[in-house]
Amino acid sequence: MDLRPEQKLKRRHGRADNRAGREAVAKAAQVTHNGAGMIARRDLRVSVAARDELSPTCFRLTLTSTDTLVAEPGQFGMLTCGDGFDPLLRRAFSFASVARRGNQTAVELLLKEVGRGTGRLRRLGSGETLRLLAPLGHGFALDVAEGERLALIAGGIGLPPVLFAAEVLATRKTPFDLYLGAARAAELLELERCAAATAAVGGEFVLATDDGSRGERGVITAALARRLASGRRWARALACGPNPMLKAFARLAHESGIEAEMSLEEPMACGLGVCLGCVVELADGRVVPSCQEGPVFPASRLAARWWA
Amino acid sequence: MSVTCAVRVGALSLVNPVLAASGTFGYGLELAEFCPPEQLGALVTKGLSPKPRLGNPTPRIVETAAGMINAIGLQNIGVEAFCRDVLPALAGRGATIVVNVFGETMLQYLEVLERCEQEHDIAAYELNVSCPNVTAGGMEFGHDPVQLERLTTACRSRTRRPLWVKLSPNAPDLVGAARAAVAGGADALTLINTLRAMAVDADARRPVLATGCGGLSGPAIKPVALRMVWEVHRALPETPLVGIGGVESGRDVAEFLLVGASAVQVGTAIFRDPTAPLRILREFQEFCAEHGIHDATELIGGLQWR
């Protein structure tokens, strides 16, 4: 079946910059997109190329497909967890990387085992096939003016889109500082890649753990707050992590007047804007599916409960 | 072997018996790249109310064993925006459009109908008298045969288009509700809507959903849906039925037709796979071919009871 085509898609407010970037990417890769600023969504057949343990709870799943996939940091896919009715629904995962490898596309996901779906994914064997609906949603705005820098903030398993952004920014030589936090040292993921990407642009790599077993003791937003208090500023700060972290982040950004974007995680059944399970309330009163208008939102667009 | 898949639901002819269920296919265009709406027997829109509704607080959905519970609360863009912004494009594709109608009061149901009556290109209405997730309207009409007959009669008087009534499996007397809808002038009955259900977070000692309870859908409810379609079909053999509840395969379509449905709606399966209705239709055609069935209508009500 032909999965391309004209679809109706909402345009994102005030994100022409990102849209131009997406179009350029799509053009370069000769990928069909729908003329509304979004590369057409497809249900890709993917197979498990590798599964690597990263921590006591987290693992990396590398999927390959002969289908082309182009995605930007912050976008996500809906992945099946095997055949059968239990678990019933796909799971939403932001990409940690999407790249061409020869005539294949390789997609990296960093996952935390939290239930039946992720438990099943953790036990997949090499070569098993799954379906991945992708690319979905809108990613981070990565463009900055000459001489400006970005701050990237990740908490726990919120790392994937932030790592993706860091590695893309490193390739583009866009300077950034990276803040990575977790409950304890063992749950700090992909440290070498984070360090390498940050070093490539001469950025500061800040670590924090709740128990102080690595880096600064306390939550990562406290580490960010200390830098802000000493006068550091960025053109924009991008974050992904658990909701308490994102709220603290949004509050900091609001108080210090920094443009902020955050990737939200809401329970999601379809990822395509029809189930209306993953809705988020915006400052203008609208209630929108985060799979369509997010999952990355400028903090200023979100309802006040996110930063008040 | 060629299989004729066209069916009729009362006076309405459908090119095939597989429909997209309300609340799982948006307003008809959202998933067009995966499932062109014109290739379906029909699409049933998200429930439309006179004014836009914001729906319930989150979390609104939770997965359960072979199912999911939702408490969306009929978030929708309102009938005016649908008629103005969506209907022309949808009709332009040649889709068969069934508008799902919702109101908190009888007057609100009539308001939606009257707005739709100004439009061409609507094939039928489906009255939602069975949503378990709203505090007013919906299920309260579906549970009381007297109110349901009154509502159906009032809606009947406003339109000559086919009128379907979507029944609640939570009603104390399903067959009584079915008879009331037919007495009020319903052309067909859709059954079943979701089953009232809840999920509990034992760690937090709280219900998972913000509203506490919601409606269960998915494969878990298919046996209940089959039983209910069969019961209503036995009680009202002349009334066309549209079966819904956990349809995931072509074989499921055959099962619903055998217990008396003239067509089926695919719902939660679309969340798993946006191409599901077309895959299910293809599987159903294969099922018919394998069983020497030339015309899908041969199956309708064909269950042999022991």
Side-chain angles (χ1 to χ4, degrees):
Chain A
M1 182 159 117
D2 187 359
L3 296 181
R4 272 155 296 154
E6 346 89 349
Q7 68 183 120
K8 173 181 159 267
L9 271 166
K10 297 133 199 160
R11 240 170 243 188
R12 198 133 182 254
H13 302 278
R15 295 294 294 276
D17 47 1
N18 239 12
R19 186 181 167 209
R22 272 196 296 278
E23 285 176 353
V25 173
K27 196 173 173 188
Q30 297 190 315
V31 172
T32 310
H33 78 87
N34 55 33
M38 191 185 262
I39 296 161
R41 310 170 294 185
R42 303 170 72 189
D43 195 10
L44 294 90
R45 186 184 159 85
V46 296
S47 50
V48 177
R51 188 173 44 73
D52 303 292
E53 294 294 311
L54 299 177
S55 81
T57 59
C58 297
F59 59 105
R60 178 178 53 228
L61 202 56
T62 307
L63 307 169
T64 55
S65 176
T66 52
D67 293 328
T68 301
L69 172 63
V70 177
E72 62 184 33
Q75 287 192 296
F76 71 102
M78 295 293 291
L79 184 66
T80 57
C81 302
D83 299 326
F85 297 147
D86 197 21
L88 183 71
L89 301 170
R90 297 185 190 219
R91 299 293 187 262
F93 299 117
S94 290
F95 306 125
S97 78
V98 176
R100 291 297 289 174
R101 278 191 196 166
N103 57 1
Q104 292 200 315
T105 300
V107 179
E108 282 183 314
L109 305 175
L110 309 182
L111 310 179
K112 180 175 188 173
E113 182 174 351
V114 293
R116 284 182 313 225
T118 45
R120 191 178 282 199
L121 293 173
R122 197 174 192 173
R123 291 185 289 277
L124 284 175
S126 189
E128 287 195 57
T129 60
L130 301 167
R131 308 288 302 197
L132 179 71
L133 265 171
L136 303 178
H138 294 267
F140 289 116
L142 299 181
D143 56 300
V144 286
E146 189 70 34
E148 301 254 45
R149 5 182 2 100
L150 292 166
L152 308 185
I153 299 97
I157 196 58
L159 178 64
V162 172
L163 175 61
F164 192 0
E167 293 187 333
V168 167
L169 290 169
T171 311
R172 293 185 193 170
K173 308 274 183 250
T174 301
F176 64 89
D177 301 312
L178 177 56
Y179 291 77
L180 175 60
R184 53 204 163 91
E187 297 294 346
L188 289 164
L189 312 177
E190 301 282 21
L191 282 176
E192 284 176 23
R193 288 170 69 178
C194 290
T198 313
V201 294
E204 187 188 11
F205 182 28
V206 179
L207 293 171
T209 50
D210 295 352
D211 65 359
S213 52
R214 181 87 190 260
E216 299 175 26
R217 178 185 292 270
V219 293
I220 193 63
T221 44
L224 181 70
R226 285 190 283 275
R227 270 56 171 196
L228 282 166
S230 68
R232 289 207 73 167
R233 288 295 181 271
W234 297 271
R236 192 182 304 116
L238 316 175
C240 184
N243 279 350
M245 178 200 121
L246 291 180
K247 284 184 183 176
F249 165 75
R251 206 177 309 121
L252 279 176
H254 184 70
E255 286 163 6
S256 51
I258 290 180
E259 189 185 325
E261 292 196 336
M262 46 210 232
S263 178
L264 305 186
E265 184 175 18
E266 297 291 332
M268 203 175 269
C270 71
L272 297 167
V274 294
C275 78
L276 301 181
C278 66
V279 293
V280 170
E281 187 185 350
L282 301 185
D284 63 9
R286 293 189 307 134
V287 174
V288 300
S290 63
C291 65
Q292 299 293 289
E293 301 221 5
V296 175
F297 289 91
S300 59
R301 279 190 73 210
L302 295 170
R305 70 178 183 87
W306 282 98
W307 44 263
Chain B
M1 175 183 145
S2 79
V3 179
T4 303
C5 270
V7 294
R8 297 173 72 87
V9 176
L12 181 64
S13 296
L14 304 176
V15 291
N16 67 63
V18 179
L19 287 60
S22 182
T24 64
F25 202 66
Y27 302 99
L29 293 170
E30 286 87 338
L31 304 181
E33 80 224 78
F34 300 107
C35 183
E38 62 276 12
Q39 293 182 24
L40 299 170
L43 72 100
V44 187
T45 67
K46 176 78 186 162
L48 295 172
S49 48
K51 296 280 181 294
R53 289 175 60 99
L54 293 177
N56 288 330
T58 55
R60 294 173 164 188
I61 54 169
V62 58
E63 186 184 70
T64 56
M68 63 178 281
I69 307 175
N70 87 79
I72 306 303
L74 281 164
Q75 179 177 349
N76 78 95
I77 58 174
V79 66
E80 180 59 39
F82 172 77
C83 291
R84 186 188 63 222
D85 302 336
V86 182
L87 190 57
L90 200 50
R93 300 183 66 121
T96 299
I97 303 156
V98 178
V99 170
N100 184 283
V101 179
F102 174 77
E104 291 183 5
T105 61
M106 183 186 289
L107 282 176
Q108 289 191 0
Y109 281 92
L110 300 178
E111 216 176 305
V112 175
L113 277 186
E114 279 162 12
R115 177 63 189 84
C116 290
E117 285 293 289
Q118 296 170 26
E119 303 290 336
H120 300 289
D121 309 314
I122 292 171
Y125 300 109
E126 180 178 80
L127 301 184
N128 179 351
V129 294
S130 42
C131 178
N133 296 321
V134 289
T135 51
M139 210 157 70
E140 68 184 83
F141 287 100
H143 283 195
D144 177 353
V146 176
Q147 280 216 59
L148 181 56
E149 183 174 344
R150 198 178 297 147
L151 176 72
T152 313
T153 304
C155 291
R156 176 77 288 163
S157 71
R158 300 299 205 282
T159 181
R160 300 174 67 169
R161 288 176 176 153
L163 192 60
W164 303 356
V165 174
K166 186 168 181 179
L167 297 177
S168 168
N170 308 303
D173 176 10
L174 177 70
V175 170
R179 287 189 201 284
V182 171
D187 296 285
L189 305 173
T190 303
L191 64 166
I192 58 176
N193 206 317
T194 55
L195 288 149
R196 236 171 109 70
M198 77 185 293
V200 172
D201 178 344
D203 296 322
R205 301 191 177 195
R206 288 174 180 280
V208 175
L209 297 177
T211 50
C213 294
L216 179 66
S217 66
I221 73 166
K222 192 185 80 171
V224 180
L226 285 169
R227 187 265 294 177
M228 289 186 159
V229 171
W230 173 239
E231 280 183 3
V232 172
H233 176 64
R234 275 199 305 187
L236 300 166
E238 307 302 320
T239 301
L241 305 179
V242 180
I244 167 173
V247 174
E248 288 276 352
S249 70
R251 182 172 279 271
D252 292 343
V253 177
E255 292 174 12
F256 272 96
L257 296 195
L258 285 168
V259 295
S262 298
V264 303
Q265 294 180 3
V266 177
T268 301
I270 295 172
F271 296 159
R272 287 157 52 77
D273 171 12
T275 68
L278 297 181
R279 170 181 55 79
I280 289 168
L281 174 60
R282 200 166 53 238
E283 290 172 5
F284 175 66
Q285 289 164 332
E286 287 162 11
F287 174 91
C288 290
E290 284 163 17
H291 290 75
I293 297 159
H294 294 270
D295 187 329
T297 60
E298 290 171 34
L299 287 166
I300 299 170
L303 186 74
Q304 297 175 29
W305 186 259
R306 305 307 305 163

